[in-house]
Amino acid sequence: MDILSPTSLDEVRDIIRNCLSDETSLSLRGAGTKSSLGNPVVADAQMQLSGMSGIITYEPEELILVARAGTELTEIEALLEAHNQMLSFEPFHPEILYGGTSSGTIGGMVGAGLSGPRRIASGGVRDYLLGFNAVSGRGDIFQSGSRVMKNVTGYDLSKLMAGSFGTLAIMDEITIKVLPAPETSVSLVVSCSDLASAQAACSQAFASAHEPTAACILPRDIAANVNLGGDAFAAIIRLEGVEVSVANRLTEMQNLLGPIGELHSLTQELSANLWRQVRDAAFFNETHEQIWKLSVAPTACVGIVNKIKTSIDASYFMDWAGGLIWLAGAGERLGADIRDVMASNGGGHATLMRASDDRRQNISVFQPQAPALMSLHTRIRRAFDPKQLLNPGRMGA
Amino acid sequence: MSVPAADQDILARRSEIAKGLKSIIPNHLVIDDDSSMRAFDADGLSAYRQMPLLVVLPETTEQVAAILKWCQTEQVKVVPRGAGTSLSGGATPLGDGILLGLGKFNKILEVDYDNRCVVAQPGVTNLGITHEVQDDGFYYAPDPSSQIACSIGGNVAENSGGVHCLKYGLTTNNLLGIEMVTMDGEILRIGGKHLDAGDLDVLGVMTGSEGLLGVVTEVTVRILRKPATQRAMLVGFDTVQEAGTAVSSVIAAGIIPAGMEMMDGPAINAAEDFAAAGYPRDADALLIIELDGPEVEVDALLERVEAIMKSEGATSIRVSTSEEERNQFWAGRKSAFPAVGRISPDYLCMDGTIPRKALPEMLTRMAGMSQKYGLRVANVFHAGDGNLHPLILFDANAPGEWERAEAFGADILRNCVALGGVLTGEHGVGIEKRDLMGEMFSEDDLKQQQRVKCAFDPDHLLNPGKVFPVLHRCAELGRLHVHKGQMPHPELPRF
Ligand SMILES: Cc1cc2nc3c(=O)[nH]c(=O)nc-3n(C[C@H](O)[C@H](O)[C@H](O)COP(=O)(O)OP(=O)(O)OC[C@H]3O[C@@H](n4cnc5c(N)ncnc54)[C@H](O)[C@@H]3O)c2cc1C
């Protein structure tokens, strides 16, 4: 297979124009870390985007960073850390789930749109992508958005790009809003007798004025494995910010959640480590045949998981106060069962995050949409890529 | 700015169209007498008035779907309208289009504290959502100054912000789901109580689409617990330059206040005359900085911010010590529009955003333009995020002043773009900034946006004439020009 490695947007445009005339489809590759996420792609050639890399502008006082799509995520994170800033949405790092040593590129991060624990408190990748330029599947260079915080000029195409898995356009310059990193971070572990009370602890935490920035739920087995709880479910609440404030809110949170279960707090280091594990789904391992991610209403997670567990041997944990269920299991029926149970428990969407090519061949990796919405999605895709040249089939039709 | 010429065929079919609509929705929901329609002839950009062809006021999603489908079949244009407070002419009627008012969609459908969200119909006011949940200690964060009046559906369409969006985000960051109807009458549900919708983020592109992509018939929004404490600080400076630098220094110190607003000399004095908020009249720039959160945090941050202000040369600093005083600090800022309305017969409110660091340069340029056009300008800014609201003062009855004001406004926005900013930070493009879109976007950029429009509304029937300076037919936009054989980069492999 031909591998094309453009270094500029003009080159990308020329390649796409040639592809249009030859009807040559392309798979797009940043660092390739998430190439087994999504429906399997069959393409005539590959476009390698790591040649379009480098940080173009970083202005800490303006809270913006502009980087080329092929820039390694870790390079960006290191630069921000040196200035006490961060990508607030805690992007997922793929090494643990998919192997390899790279954390991927910023283009891949935007394309996959996978946000971590802070998503529930302050937004995801979609909320921080201020603008970009790109080449569409029509072979046109276009840009959208801007480098300022607040902008409603024209349609917000950044939202469409985030999470589109390379099926709309090939991005070059990406502008991201960054935020100051919190001065301190601690976590409070609440040991709970069952899943329902663990979820209730999370909901109560977020309904309080104590501003948690993350809340996850670990079932007994995982909690025990990471030494977080005798024989109990662990609801873990993270508090961040100015030191006096964190100390104060920790006390308040302890008063609030004490009645639910036994409490203990994690130091900064243990806390940081735990939230990285939650972010990257590090509690699962290679023995799990399929790994799923379900986005649901936080309170619905209890009914969904309890129902699934009655018939399926699955391992799970939750982030986003219960709103994000990570679930590992096996078998041909697993995906259909998950989607059925979810549909009868308030709805949401389920994505097959990891499975063999074979398995992904036979089930829709992304949640099937209602027919009218599905055809709208298809029309939007064609508006960018009428010949389906870009990552054909990876997401949507 | 011109409103597109009305289609004479449609005008001639007016009574037939009214009859057709009455056959699909109850008669009393179709308004066709001039005196009742008068109430809908303009939005907040009231310099533009236009009687719509007809007004329809549906009560259910099914009725909205039936109306849109019928209009699609009959090729009749539709302009959605919430409360009509748009400042960019988003809801300005079309003479050959029906105005679809969502005022009857005024119910809160569900409050869910455990999942921290409210499900509401689009005609509910922004403040109506907060009112519903405030007794239980919650609120809806985006707070446009028009929040008593504007509708949540209009907020979605405009992606509205407010003084607190520095910390809490715009509408798009607080919206979880919608039910919407496309021009062909399809009812779609996107998102809900869960995060992200799976597949393409249609919710994201609908937000801020100014009524051009679909009609929103239900929203699910995130609500937040009210912060334990809120305190504000009033800081005076001798120059806007110093005030601008002080704003950057706060952000550079890692502090994101709940709000950080700036007013210039003319705005300070107009507001003080109007609201007696206790603003320092001798200052050339005033900052209002609000911090919220636990009391200890607010205290700690106020101390840090105060130190920054002193080192940046503040001439006066006051910190609110009671809720009453905090509200008083805000009273001047919040009444800036009516206050300016008192010192000038008319004013035009602009809404560009610039990189924060360009603020001093922008203000210098603005002073020059004020001289050039012979019109006064008062400035209020969402300084934390670089969003400017210059208020251009003029007298519509004085010959030529309205034209000069419009030209001055356009010049300000051109300068915003030239300094690395954008045409609109929160008010939308509408008809007001439509013809300036080329300042910020290339022809290809605009065509790509219009292709998205075509995916939703291929006949350009929903709110046409807004946002885009030139309307291309979708068939033309869809055509592919394949540049076969052109090889500007022969070094690249061919297949
Ligand atoms: C005094 C004043 C102060 C203001 N302050 C602010 C501010 O601080 N921040 C800010 O962001 N804005 C502000 N605005 C602007 C305005 O209030 C907002 O844009 C608001 O969101 C408009 O809501 P509306 O219900 O009045 O919408 P309308 O004016 O009726 O409509 C606005 C646009 O939305 C479309 N639309 C309305 N409802 C729907 C629906 N259900 N489905 C699809 N499309 C729809 C219309 O077609 C139109 O394009 C202010 C306006 C005034 C008059």
Side-chain angles (χ1 to χ4, degrees):
Chain A
M1 188 164 67
D2 274 320
I3 297 184
L4 301 152
S5 306
T7 56
S8 74
L9 215 46
D10 285 351
E11 284 178 14
V12 173
R13 178 196 53 204
D14 295 340
I15 291 171
I16 298 297
R17 288 187 172 172
N18 288 329
C19 290
L20 275 169
S21 75
D22 299 351
E23 307 229 350
T24 307
S25 61
L26 293 173
S27 68
L28 309 180
R29 189 175 190 277
T33 57
K34 295 177 280 288
S35 55
S36 60
L37 170 56
N39 300 311
V41 175
V42 182
D44 303 318
Q46 189 184 81
M47 190 185 278
Q48 171 65 254
L49 296 161
S50 49
M52 307 212 293
S53 75
I55 292 164
I56 296 172
T57 313
Y58 171 41
E59 297 178 30
E61 290 103 357
E62 298 285 330
L63 302 177
I64 61 151
L65 179 137
V66 186
R68 301 190 72 194
T71 314
E72 290 274 336
L73 177 57
T74 44
E75 182 187 339
I76 290 172
E77 287 181 327
L79 176 68
L80 292 174
E81 203 181 325
H83 289 80
N84 288 322
Q85 294 196 331
M86 63 174 178
L87 297 174
S88 164
F89 45 90
E90 295 178 270
F92 169 82
H93 285 221
E95 299 92 318
I96 293 177
L97 219 52
Y98 304 107
T101 53
S102 164
S103 293
T105 62
I106 186 100
M109 178 198 85
V110 171
L114 305 173
S115 311
R118 216 182 274 101
R119 170 73 179 98
I120 186 177
S122 54
V125 178
R126 72 185 289 275
D127 297 287
Y128 291 85
L129 179 62
L130 296 176
F132 65 91
N133 64 13
V135 175
S136 68
R138 305 176 51 90
D140 295 328
I141 294 178
F142 70 101
Q143 52 113 10
S144 175
S146 69
R147 291 185 179 185
V148 293
M149 298 291 104
K150 218 167 152 196
N151 172 24
V152 295
T153 323
Y155 299 139
D156 191 355
L157 301 186
S158 297
K159 295 286 185 296
L160 288 178
M161 293 306 294
S164 63
F165 281 87
T167 59
L168 302 180
I170 300 162
M171 288 178 289
D172 183 7
E173 292 180 17
I174 291 175
T175 304
I176 300 268
K177 175 179 174 180
V178 299
L179 284 181
E183 289 173 20
T184 345
S185 170
V186 299
S187 291
L188 179 65
V189 182
V190 191
S191 299
C192 302
S193 55
D194 57 15
L195 183 54
S197 51
Q199 198 289 317
C202 295
S203 275
Q204 281 188 37
F206 269 101
S208 77
H210 315 317
E211 298 179 14
T213 63
C216 71
I217 301 166
L218 305 182
R220 294 172 203 279
D221 53 339
I222 294 180
N225 274 343
V226 292
N227 296 320
L228 281 186
D231 183 27
F233 285 80
I236 306 162
I237 319 289
R238 184 174 66 185
L239 297 164
E240 296 176 307
V242 185
E243 200 155 339
V244 284
S245 168
V246 170
N248 173 272
R249 284 182 284 141
L250 181 62
T251 311
E252 297 280 352
M253 199 63 97
Q254 283 164 334
N255 294 338
L256 179 74
L257 302 180
I260 296 185
E262 221 174 282
L263 307 173
H264 71 275
S265 49
L266 298 180
T267 58
Q268 176 125 352
E269 203 168 315
L270 282 175
S271 166
N273 194 34
L274 174 84
W275 289 106
R276 270 195 296 274
Q277 290 178 298
V278 171
R279 178 192 74 189
D280 301 339
F283 309 118
F284 298 147
N285 56 43
E286 31 324 316
T287 64
H288 293 109
E289 191 242 323
Q290 297 170 45
I291 295 177
W292 286 82
K293 207 177 93 167
L294 286 63
S295 180
V296 300
T299 53
C301 75
V302 183
I304 291 172
V305 164
N306 286 340
K307 182 81 197 3
I308 290 175
K309 295 280 282 179
T310 57
S311 57
I312 301 169
D313 180 26
S315 186
Y316 70 92
F317 72 95
M318 287 113 175
D319 194 359
W320 301 353
L324 180 67
I325 308 171
W326 284 93
L327 199 139
E332 205 163 330
R333 296 265 330 136
L334 180 63
D337 286 347
I338 286 174
R339 285 177 172 151
D340 284 349
V341 171
M342 201 177 63
S344 54
N345 281 274
H349 58 97
T351 307
L352 177 53
M353 292 296 290
R354 195 188 73 193
S356 65
D357 281 8
D358 246 13
R359 179 68 73 202
R360 288 180 296 123
Q361 212 69 259
N362 293 308
I363 184 159
S364 171
V365 165
F366 302 100
Q367 181 75 23
Q369 306 282 339
L373 189 53
M374 180 80 112
S375 67
L376 175 63
H377 283 217
T378 303
R379 292 196 302 274
I380 295 173
R381 283 205 165 80
R382 297 291 181 277
F384 288 85
D385 179 19
K387 295 277 186 196
Q388 292 175 266
L389 298 182
L390 310 180
N391 274 350
R394 183 149 182 197
M395 177 190 233
Chain B
M1 236 73 57
S2 63
V3 182
D7 179 339
Q8 293 302 320
D9 287 351
I10 294 287
L11 296 184
R13 285 171 57 203
R14 182 168 184 268
S15 58
E16 177 207 328
I17 291 168
K19 217 166 123 210
L21 289 166
K22 284 176 183 171
S23 74
I24 53 171
I25 61 171
N27 282 356
H28 70 282
L29 301 180
V30 180
I31 315 292
D32 53 5
D33 64 289
D34 276 8
S35 60
S36 312
M37 289 205 309
R38 183 67 63 196
F40 300 93
D41 73 351
D43 62 13
L45 186 69
S46 53
Y48 290 94
R49 292 193 178 273
Q50 167 67 53
M51 285 292 265
L53 184 69
L54 297 162
V55 176
V56 288
L57 301 173
E59 293 173 319
T60 66
T61 302
E62 288 67 32
Q63 288 172 354
V64 172
I67 293 166
L68 293 185
K69 193 168 180 197
W70 190 88
C71 288
Q72 163 112 323
T73 310
E74 299 294 325
Q75 295 286 297
V76 177
K77 297 166 191 151
V78 178
V79 177
R81 177 186 165 107
T85 66
S86 165
L87 291 171
S88 55
T92 306
L94 298 172
D96 57 353
I98 65 161
L99 190 83
L100 186 135
L102 290 142
K104 293 190 187 256
F105 281 78
N106 57 5
K107 286 172 207 62
I108 303 246
L109 302 175
E110 190 191 346
V111 176
D112 180 347
Y113 290 123
D114 287 336
N115 292 307
R116 284 186 307 133
C117 60
V118 166
V119 184
Q121 291 187 322
V124 170
T125 62
N126 171 294
L127 199 57
I129 294 181
T130 291
H131 281 162
E132 185 75 18
V133 297
Q134 69 185 10
D135 288 349
D136 295 302
F138 288 82
Y139 76 115
Y140 174 62
D143 55 346
S145 310
S146 52
Q147 68 183 147
I148 315 174
C150 65
S151 72
I152 191 72
N155 289 178
V156 172
E158 298 285 9
N159 190 15
S160 302
V163 293
H164 290 102
C165 63
L166 180 59
K167 181 167 171 187
Y168 296 104
L170 298 148
T171 304
T172 192
N173 314 109
N174 291 274
L175 182 69
L176 294 170
I178 54 172
E179 176 192 72
M180 63 176 274
V181 186
T182 43
M183 196 60 214
D184 56 5
E186 287 286 357
I187 300 170
L188 309 175
R189 294 196 74 88
I190 302 158
K193 293 182 181 179
H194 55 279
L195 290 170
D196 306 322
D199 211 328
L200 297 179
D201 189 357
V202 175
L203 184 66
V205 80
M206 272 298 292
T207 313
S209 64
E210 305 197 22
L212 269 73
L213 300 183
V215 175
V216 175
T217 49
E218 186 190 293
V219 302
T220 303
V221 291
R222 166 76 77 222
I223 50 170
L224 298 178
R225 184 71 182 212
K226 263 192 80 169
T229 319
Q230 293 170 289
R231 286 173 76 190
M233 182 186 275
L234 274 188
V235 193
F237 285 92
D238 275 342
T239 66
V240 279
Q241 280 74 3
E242 286 170 303
T245 313
V247 167
S248 290
S249 301
V250 172
I251 306 269
I255 301 169
I256 306 285
M260 192 146 50
E261 299 284 304
M262 195 196 295
M263 297 165 82
D264 69 359
I268 295 168
N269 279 292
E272 189 56 21
D273 289 343
F274 188 84
Y279 291 172
R281 283 181 184 276
D282 54 343
D284 246 16
L286 178 73
L287 294 181
I288 309 175
I289 302 172
E290 181 155 292
L291 293 154
D292 67 8
E295 197 170 341
V296 285
E297 173 177 327
V298 172
D299 288 346
L301 291 181
L302 276 172
E303 226 170 84
R304 290 192 206 175
V305 171
E306 191 165 343
I308 294 171
M309 294 299 131
K310 281 186 179 145
S311 73
E312 298 292 353
T315 51
S316 66
I317 299 179
R318 278 177 64 199
V319 179
S320 70
T321 50
S322 66
E323 198 47 18
E324 203 185 351
E325 197 175 11
R326 185 181 75 90
N327 287 328
Q328 194 200 349
F329 285 5
W330 279 112
R333 166 63 184 88
K334 290 202 167 162
S335 60
F337 289 12
V340 162
R342 228 170 55 165
I343 59 169
S344 170
D346 300 282
Y347 65 89
L348 188 60
C349 171
M350 306 312 293
D351 167 49
T353 306
I354 52 171
R356 228 180 290 104
K357 64 178 179 212
L359 203 59
E361 171 64 19
M362 185 68 207
L363 289 169
T364 308
R365 292 189 187 190
M366 213 167 327
M369 287 183 264
S370 173
Q371 289 227 313
K372 174 178 161 196
Y373 291 98
L375 294 173
R376 289 179 297 163
V377 61
N379 271 297
V380 293
F381 316 106
H382 302 304
D385 38 33
N387 188 194
L388 315 174
H389 288 322
L391 302 169
I392 300 171
L393 315 189
F394 70 101
D395 179 356
N397 290 325
E401 281 210 7
W402 160 246
E403 289 74 16
R404 279 213 317 276
E406 256 197 328
F408 186 177
D411 228 359
I412 291 176
L413 297 183
R414 273 190 213 100
N415 276 281
C416 286
V417 175
L419 290 170
V422 302
L423 297 173
T424 170
E426 56 180 15
H427 293 168
V429 177
I431 53 174
E432 189 206 16
K433 300 157 203 119
R434 182 192 66 200
D435 296 344
L436 292 170
M437 287 289 271
E439 297 288 327
M440 198 173 139
F441 296 112
S442 73
E443 189 64 9
D444 278 346
D445 300 340
L446 290 173
K447 281 187 173 164
Q448 190 51 52
Q449 293 192 28
Q450 287 194 39
R451 287 190 190 100
V452 171
K453 161 78 169 169
C454 294
F456 287 80
D457 173 25
D459 298 332
H460 285 308
L461 292 171
L462 205 52
N463 218 3
K466 317 290 172 70
V467 182
F468 299 107
V470 183
L471 275 190
H472 298 282
R473 291 176 153 278
C474 289
E476 178 204 324
L477 286 167
R479 214 168 288 142
L480 263 175
H481 305 278
V482 179
H483 301 250
K484 199 171 172 92
Q486 264 187 24
M487 278 300 294
H489 288 268
E491 72 279 12
L492 297 171
R494 271 182 71 74
F495 308 100

